[in-house]
Amino acid sequence: ACLNKWRLDMTDELSALTTIFTEFYYWITVVLMFLIHVGFCMYEVGASRYKHHQHTLMKNTMLIPLVTVTWFLFGWWIYFAFPTGPGIAPSIMNGSTALITDDSAFSAAFFTPTSDIMAVNLNDHITGVFWAAFLLFSWTAASIVSGAVIERITTFAFGILAIAIGSVFWSIDAAWGWHFDGWMLKILGYHDAYASGVIHAIAGGFALGVLAVLGPRIGKFSSSGEPRNIGPRNPWLVTIGLFLIYTGFWGFYAACNIPIFDLGPEYGMEGVTFFTATNIYVTPTTLSGITFNFLMSLSGGLLAGYIVSKGDPFWTYSSGLAGIICASAGNDLYHPIQSMIIGMIGVVIAYKMHYWVERKFKIDDAVGAVAVHGYAGFVGLIICGFVLNGYPSSGYSVGAMWDGNTYAAINPLGMFIGAIIMFFVLGMLPGYILAKILHGMGKLRIPREAELAGLDYEIMEAAKEDEKSVASSSR
């Protein structure tokens, strides 16, 4: 329905400018979100030891084509195909509603990237950039897992896991809880405007499931089981990497919005025209409002991280990100002071949980990705349920009906169940099962001798073999 509003109408200049503005808006968000991936590369290289640098960069590089191609082939389809579960809650697309009067936006013709075999589809200025914005979310989900497993996973295994989280499981949770027709909105009252759970909790849970099978890096734990600190080898790269992720997060937040939407007829106000930005659920918000909340949650996270870690640079920088992630579920509706406090609470819980899980279960999360994304995202969903209790879960709850029922309002129980679904059901459980399968095939972890020598050793040896082969053939 939203995409249908942006079909190009060249009958007047204002309509054309509105469509082209929307196209450019999403294109800019893709450019900014690309910086998140640059940041993850720098962050992981800064956290890893020199002998693993090339391998660390290569797996981050290769997730780009792997996730992009699979997201094009089936990930995008999953998002549009399964918002109802399927069958858990009937689609509003099939019922009588004033909101959805034309489903041609979902027709094959509209979503075809070309109109003829070699021609660009000039009727569609939105699908490509909207698809790309969602694709960059997919990259982010895979990159979160990437940091947690550095220095011991095979490139093959990571490729399989990146496709699974980036193009399958994240796509399912987005369909369920990040789609205006999603069953989790209707039944649970799930609300996750800027993806505390939809991207971060699921990716953190998925990483935890993989780590439980993958095991710790050699030397991480002493013979008595006490954890050793394997700190970042290049704090400069870690700092710059995280600041690039902060920068890219501006694009992330903007991409979660619809830039211009007429609330008049959609909200039952016939004859009224009122254009504003909305979040992905078509709940009214503004870039101005989320700018307040983004910066306040970032600041709350940084302050809490500095205090709880006693000034540790690695955790201070990471906590800025954790603060944003914790507040993201409701940052379209929070007061800025609420965003700051929620960010601080999430950081303290994530920090404490990281070290408790590390000691109790011998989990080696190399960059704290499970804590920063998983635990902070999980906590953020639960807090959102209490702070926004009674608020509409979606703008569609104003007038849309599904099977004779209205959308459930945001509530603590629904958000808690939603957090369980995101972190455990679609995150940790699939990650654990896939890692078990790869481990059983002998494809999950690199050999001990290769880990000791460094993952780059294999890359260099392969290069030497290539050089020998070229030299012998030239002779």
Side-chain angles (χ1 to χ4, degrees), residues 113-402:
T114 58
S115 55
D116 290 309
I117 192 165
M118 293 294 287
V120 172
N121 183 358
L122 294 178
N123 289 316
D124 179 11
H125 280 233
I126 300 302
T127 306
V129 288
F130 200 69
W131 170 85
F134 269 67
L135 171 66
L136 268 293
F137 296 142
S138 300
W139 289 6
T140 299
S143 292
I144 291 166
V145 177
S146 173
V149 299
I150 57 173
E151 301 191 336
R152 71 213 112 137
I153 197 167
T154 67
T155 304
F156 172 82
F158 178 73
I160 297 297
L161 295 169
I163 292 169
I165 186 62
S167 292
V168 179
F169 294 105
W170 174 79
S171 304
I172 295 171
D173 88 24
W176 290 0
W178 222 34
H179 189 294
F180 68 85
D181 204 17
W183 73 266
M184 291 178 65
L185 282 67
K186 299 170 186 170
I187 295 178
L188 299 179
Y190 186 79
H191 183 86
D192 191 10
Y194 303 105
S196 291
V198 169
I199 291 174
H200 298 286
I202 185 176
F206 191 90
L208 183 59
V210 173
L211 288 171
V213 181
L214 182 63
R217 290 167 290 176
I218 295 171
K220 172 62 182 177
F221 293 94
S222 68
S223 56
S224 62
E226 285 297 306
R228 297 189 178 101
N229 180 39
I230 305 177
R233 291 303 183 260
N234 192 323
W236 289 103
L237 283 178
V238 169
T239 305
I240 296 169
L242 276 162
F243 270 84
L244 281 170
I245 294 173
Y246 300 160
T247 305
F249 241 87
W250 288 106
F252 187 105
Y253 260 52
C256 297
N257 275 10
I258 298 169
I260 183 166
F261 198 95
D262 181 7
L263 295 184
E266 307 295 349
Y267 281 72
M269 298 181 289
E270 294 301 329
V272 175
T273 300
F274 184 80
F275 286 99
T276 185
T278 73
N279 63 22
I280 202 162
Y281 303 126
V282 202
T283 303
T285 189
T286 66
L287 285 178
S288 179
I290 64 173
T291 297
F292 272 126
N293 292 345
F294 180 96
L295 288 171
M296 290 296 278
S297 56
L298 168 65
S299 299
L302 288 168
L303 289 168
Y306 182 83
I307 293 168
V308 75
S309 71
K310 298 180 174 59
D312 180 273
F314 183 82
W315 275 106
T316 300
Y317 300 136
S318 297
S319 294
L321 186 56
I324 298 169
I325 290 166
C326 188
S328 285
N331 255 352
D332 58 324
L333 295 170
Y334 290 149
H335 185 280
I337 298 297
Q338 289 176 323
S339 294
M340 180 189 72
I341 294 171
I342 290 167
M344 297 177 81
I345 293 170
V347 163
V348 173
I349 294 174
Y351 180 85
K352 297 292 186 182
M353 279 291 294
H354 171 82
Y355 286 108
W356 180 78
V357 170
E358 182 180 81
R359 289 179 176 275
K360 179 74 173 177
F361 300 102
K362 302 298 181 285
I363 297 294
D364 179 15
D365 177 5
V367 298
V370 177
V372 170
H373 300 272
Y375 304 150
F378 187 96
V379 169
L381 292 174
I382 294 173
I383 293 174
C384 179
F386 285 96
V387 176
L388 299 182
N389 186 22
Y391 276 75
S393 59
S394 165
Y396 279 105
S397 61
V398 175
M401 300 283 287
W402 61 274

Side-chain angles (χ1 to χ4, degrees), residues 416-427:
F416 176 73
I417 295 172
I420 295 293
I421 291 170
M422 294 298 167
F423 188 90
F424 290 104
V425 177
L426 292 177

Side-chain angles (χ1 to χ4, degrees), residues 446-474:
I446 61 169
R448 176 182 174 84
E449 58 273 15
E451 184 176 348
L452 290 171
L455 276 75
D456 294 353
Y457 175 78
E458 292 183 348
I459 296 173
M460 290 185 288
E461 287 300 303
K464 288 177 184 176
E465 289 299 320
D466 287 343
E467 289 174 5
K468 289 178 184 176
S469 144
V470 169
S472 62
S473 63
S474 62

